[in-house]
Amino acid sequence: MRGFGRYALAVYSVIALTFIMIPIVYTIVFSFNDARRTNIIWRGFTFDNWLQVCRAQDVCIAFGNSIIVALVATLLATVLGTMIAIALVRYRFRFRAATTLLLFLPMATPEVVLGAGLAAQFLAAGVQKGLVTIIIAHTMFCISFVVVTVRARVASLDPALEEAGRDLYGSPRQVFWRITFPLLLPGIIAAAMLSFALSFDDFIITNFNAGSTMTFPKYIYTAAARGIPAEANVIASAVFFLAIVIVIVVQVTNAARRKRLALR
Amino acid sequence: MSKNEFGTSGADLELRGVSKRFPGFTAIEELDLTIPAGSFFALLGPSGCGKTTTLRIVAGLEEPTTGRVLIGGKDVTDAKPFQRPVNTVFQSYALFPHMTVIENIAFGLRRRRIEDPLGKAREALRLVELENVAQRRPAQLSGGQQQRVALARAIVNRPALLLLDEPLGALDLKLRRQMQLELKEIQAQVGLTFLHVTHDQEEAMTMADTVAVMNKGRIEQMGAPEELYERPRTAFVANFLGQSNLFGGKVVSSSDESIVVDVHGYRVEVPRARSQRHSGEVAVGVRPEKIELHANEPVPASGINIVGPGRVTDVSFSGVSTSYQVSLPGLGVVTVFAQNRSFGPVVHEGEQVWLSWHVEHGFGLEDEPEQLPKFAADDDTQSIAAQRRRQLQTELEGA
Amino acid sequence: MAFGAFSSGAAPGVATVQEGPRRKSRVALFLLLPGIAYLALFFLVPLISLLLTSFMAPREFGDIGQFDYAFRWENYVKVVETYLPHILRSFGYAAIATVLALIIGYPLAYFIGVNLRRFPLVQALALVLVIAPFFISFLLRTLAWKQIFADEGPVVGALNALSLMGPGDHITGTPAAVVFGLTYMFIPFMTLPIYTSLERLDLRYVEAGGDLYASPWTTFRTVTLPLSMPGVVSGTLLTFIPASGDYINASRDFLGSTETAMIGNVVETNFLILQNYPAAAALSIILMATILILVGAYVRKSGTEDLV
């Protein structure tokens, strides 16, 4: 593609990226709104929302719940998913195809169905909904994503490295913890970050399984009808900035590592 | 040639004042080149000499900074690649991985809406003797088979000009030899104009009718392979095509037939017709296989250059021939190749020898002698090792 | 990207002398069992539970929300009769949003994956912008659009001033607004997998296409697009499946109105408010079955069966 076509595509891409950013910028800007009850109309700039986030107590409680759920669900899903990923790549076993299907299906099922299904089961079993049921639900849908992410990493791992470890007198346990695990770590961390993000932002499945417990997205959904306090924007914006910083740090370290390797 | 019909024969390619500048460097400087229809033309040079850029300009994948490209007398400089009667056999083959072999070959025919694309594609596949793999995917073929499919995909279009971008580079030595012969045979059969880009001098010389040696964006010398080898005009050509012993000196006398150069006290005669400069400081050379070794000082005779005595510093045996390094005071190290017609080396390391060659085997270069690459004087270990490796490589390729 | 990673890849086993086959299978079992058991318990069993619920009958003389196991297949007839518009709307909106997201996302993915290759830093930055929406609550993003398109918001004001909209017209609450919201929400899900396959695309194939008499458009159609098909398939699945089950955009409090309600909305209402569990379950089963059929046909047709 030369000349005109290329410029048209560049201009288009800038517009598209701007379009993607519009509601994000809007949300961040309105975290500085001197809003009183509803945060719909711009009333002037203030730092108050940022300085006193927990003035809106409900928001802070919901946020705390979301963090607890995301942390526990991420830990569980990452451990379970990583184990499955290693088994899938390194071992042959019967029901392999069935296992793969079982891992693929949750990702191909709409969230309403996942949420309603689990809620139906909790209902049938007479389980009281709350933080625990939310964590169970989140762990369930995160496992598949962890498997996919870690599995790619395991598959790219040269088995000769482990063989070399064994050749150099490593016991299976030592080989795993000193060779396999450190090499898988970047994939595991990526999977954990993905899980955390998925869990933190999940609303639909949570809505079916939370009972009266509030999470951050659920709070926004419930409050949407009567107006969202600006503190919700503050929390969302802060999470956004933190995530962006993490992503950029990861990108820069990766780039630096590649450069170092290239120099060698 | 209209888009929907086959060319019946190749067409001339003409480059007029073509140059290509990239930010920071010049890939091609003012290139003028005419390749007659039906010839097999090779552009030979080291990597970075501009040969691939030239090819890409002909194919329309790069635009020249200045100059025009004409194919069959028609200016195609502003034509897009798909509008040119040109096809390329890419270095990586670039076979479409999502199509079968036969679909790959029929691709160009379908684009030009030529009748019976599959039939013609099958014919082309027969030409490269691969009928049995028509339904396979490129990934299921060996390197040699992929190369042939790439060739079939290009020639099935009967382009006025076929461009070959180092298509044999990825093959192993034996396969490469075989493919070289086959390519040449196919070219003779289909009668198209072939433009072949390569850094392999052996390949260029065995395949092409005409070879152009490129260096730093310019064509150094162009001609038939024998002519380039026997009468190199520049030090670059003399050393890129095979090996040469080069000496610098002042012309002390000249006649209609020859010039005589004083090389550190030795009298070296070179035919006037084989030499580019005829007075002042000149550079002359001789190929290693043209030199004879003598254990005793030979009797001077007309038509023979004699230098010596020198000392043999290295003897390396390589089957067909043996290579000797002879160190001569003032001249530096001279390389001599001798056929192994008897058993074992003729002389041994440390022995004293004289060298001689026929006057008509010498050549004179257009380079200033002080600009000569210091091949002769390079006797540090690194350059010796490099030289030995080069030698081994040429010998390997000859095997 | 998530689906692409599900291609088959049998890796070499790491058998050694000390590790006999029995020991190996025990290790595999130890690795697999906890996770698989978890998924069986909290994914498979709930699906079965959902299926059973969908056939339940109201308890005689029971309260609202009290049901007994039965085989009342009439539940399905009833929900289809009642909610057919919602079902059709769901797949219609999702299909339109998928196509729109593809139209918007493909050129963007192409630009980032191909044209920006020579500028790795700019490429990385553009990529961060594409995934930026993942880092901020999607509910707040949707609310932001709601407020931008609100009757007292800037867009409606401008359109009113230009007389392109009458005083009684709205943007929010219309099907167009819902489709817009769905499209926006899934642009990153569409763009990323396509980017992944375009980023790896060997440009020499494109050159070869040009060399073989294909115009840029034909080269795109016959070479670039087929080679990026895995990304397109992943992207459309990652968009269509969640979009058809989404009920945020179509909800009254966000971009929709009662006239735009989708399956998700009625499942939510039936389950959480009306406590009509069999209806909600039957609707969920219908949604899931339809999606599995559509996805199966689509994957087969697009010829990327090594996806699963």
Side-chain angles (χ1 to χ4, degrees):
Chain A
M1 211 176 297
R2 344 177 159 180
F4 177 74
R6 199 165 46 204
Y7 287 113
L9 194 56
V11 170
Y12 166 82
S13 298
V14 171
I15 295 172
L17 289 174
T18 313
F19 171 64
I20 290 177
M21 294 308 288
I22 287 174
I24 299 176
V25 173
Y26 183 97
T27 305
I28 295 170
V29 167
F30 272 75
S31 75
F32 296 104
N33 188 13
D34 190 7
R36 270 149 242 168
R37 283 193 61 86
T38 56
N39 191 12
I40 295 175
I41 299 151
W42 184 255
R43 290 178 201 275
F45 184 89
T46 177
F47 275 119
D48 287 358
N49 308 323
W50 281 79
L51 296 175
Q52 298 163 290
V53 194
C54 287
R55 193 170 48 183
Q57 218 182 7
D58 302 351
V59 184
C60 274
I61 292 170
F63 176 70
N65 284 341
S66 273
I67 293 287
I68 294 170
V69 169
L71 281 178
V72 180
T74 297
L75 183 70
L76 288 174
T78 307
V79 171
L80 295 175
T82 302
M83 285 162 68
I84 296 178
I86 293 175
L88 275 182
V89 178
R90 284 297 150 86
Y91 298 95
R92 285 158 191 285
F93 47 87
R94 272 176 293 168
F95 314 120
R96 201 194 153 87
T99 309
T100 315
L101 189 65
L102 180 62
L103 289 163
F104 171 73
L105 270 180
M107 295 193 296
T109 308
E111 285 188 82
V112 210
V113 180
L114 290 178
L118 207 49
Q121 195 193 0
F122 288 141
L123 188 76
V127 176
Q128 188 70 40
K129 289 180 198 169
L131 264 189
V132 176
T133 50
I134 304 177
I135 290 171
I136 289 174
H138 285 202
T139 308
M140 182 265 292
F141 73 77
C142 285
I143 287 180
S144 298
F145 289 97
V146 173
V147 174
V148 169
T149 316
V150 178
R151 184 174 138 156
R153 184 89 196 173
V154 182
S156 70
L157 192 68
D158 184 358
L161 293 172
E162 288 172 344
E163 282 163 11
R166 252 173 272 253
D167 181 58
L168 296 166
Y169 316 108
S171 70
R173 183 185 299 249
Q174 287 168 325
V175 168
F176 179 80
W177 286 111
R178 288 178 182 268
I179 292 162
T180 317
F181 185 72
L183 289 170
L184 293 186
L185 200 57
I188 296 174
I189 291 174
M193 278 161 52
L194 180 65
S195 291
F196 191 92
L198 286 172
S199 163
F200 184 80
D201 203 27
D202 177 78
F203 165 69
I204 295 180
I205 296 175
T206 313
N207 192 30
F208 279 91
N209 295 290
S212 59
T213 308
M214 274 296 165
T215 63
F216 186 63
K218 195 173 168 232
Y219 175 83
I220 295 169
Y221 183 77
T222 338
R226 54 187 156 84
I228 310 282
E231 286 80 0
N233 291 44
V234 172
I235 288 177
S237 307
V239 170
F240 176 78
F241 287 130
L242 184 69
I244 289 286
V245 167
I246 292 173
V247 166
I248 288 174
V249 166
V250 169
Q251 292 263 19
V252 168
T253 357
N254 276 350
R257 185 181 303 146
R258 272 198 297 276
K259 207 167 167 183
R260 237 184 9 248
L261 287 175
L263 280 179
R264 232 171 249 169
Chain B
M1 183 167 88
S2 128
K3 199 184 167 199
N4 297 346
E5 50 191 63
F6 265 161
T8 41
S9 64
D12 293 357
L13 167 72
E14 201 180 337
L15 301 182
R16 285 191 198 152
V18 166
S19 73
K20 176 72 182 176
R21 276 184 285 277
F22 290 107
F25 81 107
T26 304
I28 305 173
E29 287 177 34
E30 284 289 310
L31 191 64
D32 287 292
L33 183 66
T34 304
I35 299 175
S39 64
F40 197 131
F41 191 95
L43 263 182
L44 174 68
S47 55
C49 72
K51 59 187 193 301
T52 298
T53 309
T54 309
L55 183 108
R56 290 173 64 86
I57 286 174
V58 175
L61 299 170
E62 303 274 0
E63 285 170 273
T65 313
T66 64
R68 315 302 296 171
V69 179
L70 289 85
I71 294 172
K74 225 177 102 201
D75 191 330
V76 295
T77 317
D78 300 317
K80 303 238 155 55
F82 67 95
Q83 296 160 332
R84 299 187 183 202
V86 167
N87 287 110
T88 311
V89 179
F90 291 87
Q91 186 170 18
S92 60
Y93 313 142
L95 297 176
F96 302 125
H98 57 298
M99 298 179 194
T100 59
V101 164
I102 196 82
E103 279 302 326
N104 258 287
I105 298 174
F107 186 88
L109 300 174
R110 287 192 196 283
R111 299 287 82 73
R112 296 200 295 162
R113 305 194 194 298
I114 282 170
E115 267 176 60
D116 188 23
L118 287 179
K120 293 196 168 72
R122 222 164 276 128
E123 228 169 89
L125 209 47
R126 206 167 302 137
L127 184 69
V128 295
E129 295 171 359
L130 280 177
E131 298 113 299
N132 53 329
V133 302
Q135 295 308 325
R136 295 216 203 137
R137 295 282 168 118
Q140 296 168 295
L141 305 182
S142 72
Q145 288 174 322
Q146 288 184 16
Q147 198 276 333
R148 284 189 226 191
V149 173
L151 181 65
R153 187 176 72 171
I155 56 177
V156 74
N157 300 294
R158 292 286 183 276
L161 184 63
L162 184 76
L163 307 178
L164 302 152
D165 182 9
E166 306 220 16
L168 307 177
L171 306 181
D172 67 53
L173 206 73
K174 214 170 149 190
L175 202 54
R176 194 151 74 217
R177 277 269 165 273
Q178 192 188 331
M179 290 306 302
Q180 283 175 10
L181 296 175
E182 281 181 29
L183 253 179
K184 210 175 148 80
E185 208 168 286
I186 287 170
Q187 195 257 346
Q189 264 182 56
V190 296
L192 304 175
T193 314
F194 275 38
L195 172 56
H196 183 189
V197 154
T198 180
H199 66 270
D200 182 342
Q201 45 114 352
E202 189 104 15
E203 189 171 302
M205 291 209 283
T206 37
M207 295 169 77
D209 318 323
T210 313
V211 176
V213 181
M214 264 189 105
N215 184 30
K216 292 178 187 154
R218 291 186 307 112
I219 289 188
E220 291 255 341
Q221 192 176 354
M222 197 167 99
E226 302 82 10
E227 191 195 324
L228 288 188
Y229 187 80
E230 296 300 345
R231 297 179 55 184
R233 277 213 299 261
T234 66
F236 178 81
V237 176
N239 280 305
F240 194 76
L241 279 180
Q243 272 180 277
S244 296
N245 295 300
L246 302 179
F247 319 108
K250 199 175 163 60
V251 176
V252 286
S253 71
S254 71
S255 66
D256 286 348
E257 280 86 49
S258 62
I259 56 169
V260 176
V261 183
D262 173 47
V263 183
H264 290 278
Y266 299 112
R267 196 178 162 279
V268 175
E269 194 178 348
V270 181
R272 193 179 240 302
R274 291 171 61 86
S275 130
Q276 305 300 316
R277 292 150 65 105
H278 303 127
S279 59
E281 295 285 332
V282 297
V284 295
V286 62
R287 296 284 184 185
E289 73 277 8
K290 302 287 195 305
I291 302 178
E292 270 182 75
L293 291 168
H294 306 272
N296 302 306
E297 183 164 9
V299 185
S302 76
I304 306 258
N305 288 318
I306 298 168
V307 295
R311 204 157 285 283
V312 177
T313 55
D314 186 63
V315 177
S316 64
F317 174 76
S318 66
V320 186
S321 65
T322 303
S323 156
Y324 301 89
Q325 304 287 327
V326 179
S327 177
L328 289 150
L331 272 187
V333 177
V334 175
T335 305
V336 180
F337 294 156
Q339 293 279 313
N340 290 327
R341 267 178 271 179
S342 56
F343 295 112
V346 194
V347 290
H348 295 92
E349 215 174 306
E351 282 178 0
Q352 179 172 278
V353 290
W354 281 263
L355 311 177
S356 77
W357 68 90
H358 286 278
V359 167
E360 63 264 30
H361 286 152
F363 49 81
L365 305 175
E366 57 184 41
D367 305 66
E368 301 276 345
E370 58 265 29
Q371 285 169 350
L372 277 189
K374 293 265 182 271
F375 282 93
D378 269 1
D379 48 17
D380 60 306
T381 49
Q382 226 175 3
S383 68
I384 287 175
Q387 208 175 349
R388 286 292 287 278
R389 217 187 45 209
R390 262 203 309 278
Q391 242 167 275
L392 275 172
Q393 258 163 7
T394 38
E395 276 151 25
L396 257 175
E397 267 153 62
Chain C
M1 91 209 117
F3 292 96
F6 254 85
S7 54
S8 63
V14 274
T16 50
V17 184
Q18 318 91 297
E19 255 182 84
R22 174 170 294 170
R23 168 106 192 250
K24 255 182 86 174
S25 71
R26 247 190 298 150
V27 175
L29 196 66
F30 163 76
L31 289 171
L32 280 170
L33 199 59
I36 296 301
Y38 192 99
L39 282 181
L41 193 58
F42 296 114
F43 172 71
L44 273 191
V45 175
L47 280 188
I48 296 164
S49 184
L50 199 63
L51 194 64
L52 294 177
T53 309
S54 71
F55 291 110
M56 276 180 156
R59 181 171 297 169
E60 269 183 282
F61 315 113
D63 275 338
I64 292 177
Q66 289 187 313
F67 295 89
D68 285 320
Y69 287 110
F71 185 69
R72 239 173 84 108
W73 54 268
E74 296 93 331
N75 287 346
Y76 282 86
V77 179
K78 185 128 187 291
V79 293
V80 171
E81 273 174 1
T82 321
Y83 297 115
L84 187 64
H86 300 82
I87 297 171
L88 295 179
R89 217 178 273 148
S90 287
F91 293 114
Y93 288 177
I96 299 171
T98 305
V99 171
L100 288 177
L102 180 63
I103 293 170
I104 296 171
Y106 197 105
L108 181 61
Y110 187 94
F111 182 75
I112 300 175
V114 177
N115 297 48
L116 287 185
R117 268 187 212 182
R118 283 178 298 145
F119 314 100
L121 214 67
V122 185
Q123 190 182 39
L125 179 74
L127 218 50
V128 170
L129 289 182
V130 172
I131 59 171
F134 290 139
F135 304 137
I136 195 155
S137 167
F138 75 100
L139 293 160
L140 281 177
R141 274 186 284 130
T142 313
L143 279 178
W145 281 124
K146 182 195 180 185
Q147 285 167 22
I148 290 168
F149 290 130
D151 291 346
E152 61 275 13
V155 176
V156 171
L159 289 174
N160 273 330
L162 292 167
S163 305
L164 290 169
M165 265 177 77
D169 295 341
H170 310 281
I171 296 180
T172 53
T174 62
V178 177
V179 170
F180 174 91
L182 287 171
T183 307
Y184 172 79
M185 190 153 131
F186 291 105
I187 286 175
F189 291 87
M190 182 66 87
T191 310
L192 276 183
I194 299 177
Y195 160 80
T196 312
S197 54
L198 282 175
E199 182 239 337
R200 284 186 303 224
L201 174 75
D202 190 336
L203 292 183
R204 287 174 293 193
Y205 295 132
V206 178
E207 289 189 346
D211 184 65
L212 294 165
Y213 312 103
S215 64
W217 168 244
T218 313
T219 304
F220 175 78
R221 200 168 45 79
T222 54
V223 179
T224 313
L225 188 61
L227 287 176
S228 61
M229 246 353 236
V232 173
V233 172
S234 296
T236 42
L237 291 180
L238 284 172
T239 300
F240 182 79
I241 296 173
S244 57
D246 181 73
Y247 63 84
I248 305 307
N249 289 281
S251 146
R252 210 155 32 86
D253 297 330
F254 289 78
L255 296 169
S257 63
T258 40
E259 276 84 59
T260 63
M262 295 164 67
I263 297 187
N265 300 82
V266 286
V267 171
E268 188 208 19
T269 315
N270 274 296
F271 203 111
L272 296 176
I273 297 167
L274 303 176
Q275 301 192 347
N276 186 355
Y277 305 120
L283 281 166
S284 302
I285 297 289
I286 291 172
L287 174 64
M288 175 141 188
T290 315
I291 282 178
L292 284 182
I293 292 166
L294 288 178
V295 166
Y298 175 63
V299 168
R300 184 151 304 191
K301 189 151 187 294
S302 62
T304 38
E305 272 159 77
D306 50 329
L307 212 62
V308 183

